[in-house]
Amino acid sequence: GIGTTAPAHPLDVLGANTAVGSGASQLAVFSTSAYDTASTGGSIGFQGKKNSGGDYSENAWIGGLKENTGDGNDAGYLAFGTRPNGSAVAERMRVTSTGLVGVNTDSPTHHFHVSHNDDSNVTVGNIFDNSVTGIHIAKSGSSDGAGSVLKFSADSDTNQAAIAHIQDDTSGDANLVFY
């Protein structure tokens, strides 16, 4: 234990609470990389045994990294990574220095930006915050075609219980269709 003589875990770090932005954390992870290299900084890897032979594999990762290469510019971002089977850990979510959150993108352009490049659905759960001024949902890719971009449904059976949907046609125009 650090700061304690009676740790409850393999590593306990105890210290006084500090204000966000004070520069005085209970635990600091430093990088010795050059200041003029983007995406460097402190990180934590989470590992576990991956097979009966006792080999370890990094399963997930969190990094507090420098957002730029500027001398004296300390803008940073927080990145979260996970590892699919048979691949390396890859960034899955980022919170930029300005507070933008990106899922499956390392360059979010909105407060909450979800990106994907396949035909699967992006599902947003119930939103109870009436202060939300709008939700921007955009179809990935540049090709036109008759496909639903946004569908409003009465229940989870979106094929049978659709109330309305916005569909793009082959000319690239959007049509609002009611049932």
Side-chain angles (χ1 to χ4, degrees), residues 44-88:
I44 302 170
F46 299 91
Q47 301 198 13
K49 290 185 179 178
K50 70 176 186 174
N51 58 32
S52 60
D55 296 324
Y56 284 88
S57 174
E58 186 172 58
N59 300 322
W61 175 91
I62 299 173
L65 308 172
K66 191 169 192 238
E67 204 166 50
N68 58 74
T69 60
D71 187 359
N73 187 333
D74 55 5
Y77 66 92
L78 186 62
F80 299 85
T82 60
R83 178 189 195 123
N85 186 32
S87 297

Side-chain angles (χ1 to χ4, degrees), residues 57-149:
S57 174
E58 186 172 58
N59 300 322
W61 175 91
I62 299 173
L65 308 172
K66 191 169 192 238
E67 204 166 50
N68 58 74
T69 60
D71 187 359
N73 187 333
D74 55 5
Y77 66 92
L78 186 62
F80 299 85
T82 60
R83 178 189 195 123
N85 186 32
S87 297
V89 172
E91 184 176 328
R92 306 294 180 207
M93 187 172 83
R94 177 179 292 203
V95 181
T96 68
S97 63
T98 59
L100 302 180
V101 177
V103 177
N104 287 330
T105 180
D106 60 7
S107 53
T109 56
H110 307 289
H111 290 287
F112 184 62
H113 183 158
V114 178
S115 177
H116 67 97
N117 294 320
D118 57 24
D119 291 330
S120 64
N121 294 323
V122 174
T123 303
V124 178
N126 295 334
I127 298 173
F128 296 106
D129 182 358
N130 292 329
S131 66
V132 174
T133 58
I135 299 172
H136 181 182
I137 299 175
K139 182 178 179 184
S140 296
S142 59
S143 62
D144 295 328
S148 293
V149 176

